[in-house]
Amino acid sequence: MSLHTVKQNYKTTKIQREVLHGHKSYLLWFTGLSGSGKSTLANLVEIALHNQGLSTYILDGDNIRQGINKDLSFAPEDRTENIRRIAEISNLILDAGIITLAAFVSPYIKDREEVKQIVGTDNFIEIFVNTSLEECERRDVKGLYKKARSGEIKNMTGISAPYEAPIKPNLEVVTDGQPIEETVKIILEFINKKLKSNT
Protein backbone atom coordinates (compact mmCIF):
# COMPACT_ATOMS: atom_id res chain seq x y z
CA MET A 1 0.00 0.00 0.00
CA SER A 2 1.34 3.43 -0.94
CA LEU A 3 2.34 5.68 1.95
CA HIS A 4 1.02 8.69 0.03
CA THR A 5 -2.59 7.63 -0.44
CA VAL A 6 -5.62 7.99 1.80
CA LYS A 7 -8.70 5.78 1.44
CA GLN A 8 -11.79 7.73 0.46
CA ASN A 9 -15.06 6.76 2.13
CA TYR A 10 -18.15 7.50 0.06
CA LYS A 11 -21.73 7.94 1.27
CA THR A 12 -23.41 5.34 -0.97
CA THR A 13 -22.83 1.88 0.50
CA LYS A 14 -22.57 -1.61 -0.96
CA ILE A 15 -25.76 -2.57 0.87
CA GLN A 16 -27.60 0.33 -0.75
CA ARG A 17 -26.37 -0.76 -4.17
CA GLU A 18 -27.47 -4.35 -3.48
CA VAL A 19 -30.91 -3.08 -2.50
CA LEU A 20 -31.08 -1.15 -5.77
CA HIS A 21 -30.18 -4.30 -7.74
CA GLY A 22 -32.58 -6.36 -5.66
CA HIS A 23 -30.08 -9.05 -4.64
CA LYS A 24 -26.81 -9.68 -2.79
CA SER A 25 -23.61 -9.64 -4.81
CA TYR A 26 -21.47 -12.79 -4.87
CA LEU A 27 -18.23 -13.80 -6.54
CA LEU A 28 -18.76 -17.13 -8.32
CA TRP A 29 -15.23 -18.43 -8.81
CA PHE A 30 -15.00 -21.20 -11.42
CA THR A 31 -11.71 -23.10 -11.09
CA GLY A 32 -10.47 -26.15 -12.98
CA LEU A 33 -8.09 -27.30 -15.69
CA SER A 34 -7.94 -25.61 -19.07
CA GLY A 35 -10.70 -27.15 -21.17
CA SER A 36 -12.76 -28.18 -18.14
CA GLY A 37 -15.64 -25.95 -19.26
CA LYS A 38 -15.27 -23.03 -16.84
CA SER A 39 -15.89 -20.25 -19.38
CA THR A 40 -18.74 -22.11 -21.07
CA LEU A 41 -20.45 -22.75 -17.75
CA ALA A 42 -19.92 -19.18 -16.54
CA ASN A 43 -21.43 -17.87 -19.78
CA LEU A 44 -24.51 -20.11 -19.58
CA VAL A 45 -25.02 -19.42 -15.87
CA GLU A 46 -24.77 -15.68 -16.50
CA ILE A 47 -27.37 -15.87 -19.28
CA ALA A 48 -29.76 -17.66 -16.91
CA LEU A 49 -29.15 -15.21 -14.05
CA HIS A 50 -29.55 -12.25 -16.41
CA ASN A 51 -32.84 -13.70 -17.62
CA GLN A 52 -33.94 -13.80 -13.98
CA GLY A 53 -33.41 -10.04 -13.86
CA LEU A 54 -30.15 -10.17 -11.87
CA SER A 55 -27.17 -7.86 -12.42
CA THR A 56 -24.11 -9.85 -13.52
CA TYR A 57 -20.65 -9.51 -15.03
CA ILE A 58 -18.09 -12.09 -16.25
CA LEU A 59 -14.33 -11.96 -15.79
CA ASP A 60 -12.53 -14.50 -18.00
CA GLY A 61 -8.91 -15.62 -17.97
CA ASP A 62 -8.12 -15.12 -21.65
CA ASN A 63 -9.88 -11.74 -21.80
CA ILE A 64 -8.11 -10.41 -18.70
CA ARG A 65 -4.71 -11.48 -20.05
CA GLN A 66 -5.37 -9.56 -23.26
CA GLY A 67 -5.88 -6.35 -21.29
CA ILE A 68 -5.05 -5.41 -17.72
CA ASN A 69 -2.83 -8.47 -17.16
CA LYS A 70 -1.16 -8.64 -20.57
CA ASP A 71 2.19 -7.88 -18.90
CA LEU A 72 2.14 -11.17 -16.97
CA SER A 73 3.60 -14.54 -17.98
CA PHE A 74 2.54 -18.02 -16.83
CA ALA A 75 5.42 -18.39 -14.39
CA PRO A 76 4.24 -19.22 -10.84
CA GLU A 77 4.83 -15.71 -9.45
CA ASP A 78 2.97 -14.12 -12.37
CA ARG A 79 0.09 -16.56 -12.01
CA THR A 80 -0.20 -15.43 -8.38
CA GLU A 81 -0.16 -11.75 -9.36
CA ASN A 82 -2.72 -12.46 -12.10
CA ILE A 83 -5.15 -13.87 -9.55
CA ARG A 84 -4.45 -11.11 -7.01
CA ARG A 85 -5.35 -8.42 -9.54
CA ILE A 86 -8.48 -10.29 -10.56
CA ALA A 87 -9.51 -10.53 -6.91
CA GLU A 88 -9.16 -6.77 -6.49
CA ILE A 89 -11.18 -6.13 -9.67
CA SER A 90 -13.82 -8.59 -8.47
CA ASN A 91 -14.00 -6.79 -5.14
CA LEU A 92 -14.79 -3.51 -6.90
CA ILE A 93 -17.56 -5.13 -8.94
CA LEU A 94 -18.99 -6.76 -5.82
CA ASP A 95 -18.96 -3.36 -4.10
CA ALA A 96 -21.10 -2.13 -7.01
CA GLY A 97 -23.68 -4.76 -6.01
CA ILE A 98 -23.17 -6.98 -9.04
CA ILE A 99 -22.92 -10.79 -9.13
CA THR A 100 -19.48 -11.54 -10.58
CA LEU A 101 -18.62 -14.75 -12.41
CA ALA A 102 -14.88 -15.41 -12.66
CA ALA A 103 -13.54 -18.23 -14.84
CA PHE A 104 -9.86 -18.85 -14.12
CA VAL A 105 -7.67 -21.96 -13.91
CA SER A 106 -6.24 -20.45 -10.68
CA PRO A 107 -4.16 -23.57 -9.99
CA TYR A 108 -2.86 -22.74 -6.50
CA ILE A 109 -4.88 -23.16 -3.31
CA LYS A 110 -3.04 -20.27 -1.62
CA ASP A 111 -4.04 -17.89 -4.44
CA ARG A 112 -7.70 -18.87 -4.25
CA GLU A 113 -7.56 -18.42 -0.47
CA GLU A 114 -6.20 -14.92 -1.01
CA VAL A 115 -9.14 -14.17 -3.31
CA LYS A 116 -11.45 -15.25 -0.51
CA GLN A 117 -9.64 -12.97 1.94
CA ILE A 118 -9.79 -9.98 -0.43
CA VAL A 119 -13.50 -10.23 -1.26
CA GLY A 120 -14.65 -11.73 2.06
CA THR A 121 -15.56 -15.32 2.82
CA ASP A 122 -19.30 -14.59 2.81
CA ASN A 123 -19.09 -13.19 -0.73
CA PHE A 124 -16.98 -16.00 -2.21
CA ILE A 125 -18.43 -19.12 -3.85
CA GLU A 126 -15.77 -21.53 -5.10
CA ILE A 127 -17.06 -23.77 -7.90
CA PHE A 128 -14.70 -26.62 -8.75
CA VAL A 129 -15.26 -27.70 -12.35
CA ASN A 130 -13.87 -31.18 -11.89
CA THR A 131 -13.01 -32.51 -15.33
CA SER A 132 -10.37 -35.19 -15.79
CA LEU A 133 -7.13 -34.32 -17.56
CA GLU A 134 -7.94 -37.03 -20.11
CA GLU A 135 -11.26 -35.36 -20.97
CA CYS A 136 -9.68 -31.90 -21.11
CA GLU A 137 -7.00 -33.20 -23.48
CA ARG A 138 -9.63 -34.91 -25.60
CA ARG A 139 -11.51 -31.62 -25.96
CA ASP A 140 -8.37 -29.46 -26.30
CA VAL A 141 -10.51 -26.59 -27.58
CA LYS A 142 -7.56 -24.18 -27.85
CA GLY A 143 -4.95 -26.74 -28.90
CA LEU A 144 -2.95 -25.98 -25.77
CA TYR A 145 -2.43 -29.54 -24.60
CA LYS A 146 -1.06 -30.60 -27.97
CA LYS A 147 1.41 -27.70 -27.84
CA ALA A 148 2.30 -28.53 -24.23
CA ARG A 149 2.95 -32.18 -25.06
CA SER A 150 5.26 -31.13 -27.90
CA GLY A 151 7.15 -28.74 -25.61
CA GLU A 152 5.94 -25.62 -27.41
CA ILE A 153 4.16 -24.35 -24.27
CA LYS A 154 5.94 -24.27 -20.90
CA ASN A 155 4.23 -24.15 -17.49
CA MET A 156 1.03 -25.77 -18.78
CA THR A 157 -1.24 -26.60 -15.85
CA GLY A 158 -1.83 -30.33 -15.60
CA ILE A 159 1.15 -31.17 -17.82
CA SER A 160 4.30 -29.32 -16.75
CA ALA A 161 2.78 -27.23 -13.94
CA PRO A 162 0.63 -28.38 -11.00
CA TYR A 163 -3.09 -27.94 -10.40
CA GLU A 164 -4.08 -28.00 -6.73
CA ALA A 165 -7.72 -29.07 -6.58
CA PRO A 166 -9.94 -27.39 -3.98
CA ILE A 167 -10.18 -29.36 -0.74
CA LYS A 168 -13.59 -28.04 0.34
CA PRO A 169 -15.15 -26.10 -2.55
CA ASN A 170 -18.59 -24.60 -2.03
CA LEU A 171 -19.75 -26.61 -5.04
CA GLU A 172 -18.12 -29.34 -7.13
CA VAL A 173 -19.43 -30.34 -10.53
CA VAL A 174 -18.04 -33.39 -12.36
CA THR A 175 -18.49 -32.77 -16.07
CA ASP A 176 -17.10 -36.01 -17.53
CA GLY A 177 -20.01 -37.68 -19.29
CA GLN A 178 -22.60 -35.23 -17.93
CA PRO A 179 -24.65 -33.02 -20.28
CA ILE A 180 -23.71 -29.38 -19.86
CA GLU A 181 -27.38 -28.49 -19.32
CA GLU A 182 -27.42 -30.70 -16.23
CA THR A 183 -24.27 -29.05 -14.87
CA VAL A 184 -25.73 -25.57 -15.41
CA LYS A 185 -28.92 -26.65 -13.62
CA ILE A 186 -26.93 -27.84 -10.59
CA ILE A 187 -25.00 -24.56 -10.38
CA LEU A 188 -28.13 -22.42 -10.77
CA GLU A 189 -29.98 -24.34 -8.06
CA PHE A 190 -27.06 -23.77 -5.69
CA ILE A 191 -26.79 -20.04 -6.47
CA ASN A 192 -30.53 -19.37 -6.32
CA LYS A 193 -30.69 -21.09 -2.95
CA LYS A 194 -27.93 -18.77 -1.68
CA LEU A 195 -29.70 -15.72 -3.08
CA LYS A 196 -33.03 -16.65 -1.52
CA SER A 197 -31.40 -17.17 1.86
CA ASN A 198 -30.27 -13.53 1.76
CA THR A 199 -33.55 -11.90 0.73
Side-chain angles (χ1 to χ4, degrees):
M1 183 180 293
S2 173
L3 296 175
H4 306 294
T5 62
V6 177
K7 184 176 180 179
Q8 296 296 317
N9 294 308
Y10 297 104
K11 297 299 182 182
T12 305
T13 66
K14 177 185 176 183
I15 292 174
Q16 289 173 318
R17 297 185 191 105
E18 289 177 332
V19 169
L20 183 65
H21 289 292
H23 57 77
K24 180 171 168 48
S25 59
Y26 285 106
L27 173 59
L28 313 181
W29 190 274
F30 294 78
T31 178
L33 293 171
S34 177
S36 61
K38 300 180 300 298
S39 296
T40 300
L41 288 169
N43 186 41
L44 293 172
V45 169
E46 185 191 30
I47 290 170
L49 293 175
H50 180 80
N51 288 339
Q52 290 176 207
L54 307 180
S55 300
T56 60
Y57 193 78
I58 287 183
L59 295 171
D60 181 80
D62 283 353
N63 293 352
I64 290 289
R65 279 187 174 274
Q66 290 177 24
I68 195 167
N69 286 353
K70 65 182 179 181
D71 60 321
L72 300 177
S73 72
F74 288 90
E77 62 273 14
D78 276 4
R79 285 182 181 272
T80 292
E81 175 60 12
N82 181 54
I83 297 304
R84 187 197 68 79
R85 292 183 193 178
I86 293 156
E88 294 291 357
I89 293 167
S90 299
N91 202 34
L92 293 173
I93 302 174
L94 290 178
D95 193 51
I98 296 170
I99 296 170
T100 308
L101 301 92
F104 295 89
V105 174
S106 48
Y108 306 127
I109 290 174
K110 66 176 179 60
D111 292 346
R112 298 193 300 269
E113 284 297 314
E114 184 178 9
V115 175
K116 188 188 297 186
Q117 293 304 312
I118 289 171
V119 305
T121 302
D122 292 343
N123 303 315
F124 183 78
I125 298 174
E126 185 177 48
I127 302 172
F128 177 27
V129 184
N130 188 353
T131 307
S132 67
L133 177 61
E134 292 73 22
E135 176 62 15
C136 291
E137 284 203 71
R138 187 190 67 77
R139 297 175 186 174
D140 206 7
V141 181
K142 304 171 189 174
L144 299 178
Y145 287 103
K146 184 178 179 181
K147 290 179 181 178
R149 291 294 186 187
S150 69
E152 188 177 342
I153 293 180
K154 308 296 182 185
N155 297 315
M156 176 70 183
T157 302
I159 304 296
S160 52
Y163 177 77
E164 299 171 2
I167 298 170
K168 290 183 178 180
N170 298 100
L171 179 64
E172 178 177 348
V173 288
V174 179
T175 68
D176 292 48
Q178 179 168 269
I180 195 163
E181 296 80 8
E182 182 62 28
T183 306
V184 170
K185 181 181 177 183
I186 292 169
I187 296 170
L188 283 171
E189 287 176 350
F190 181 89
I191 295 167
N192 281 318
K193 186 176 180 180
K194 288 281 289 185
L195 289 167
K196 286 177 182 176
S197 69
N198 280 282
T199 55

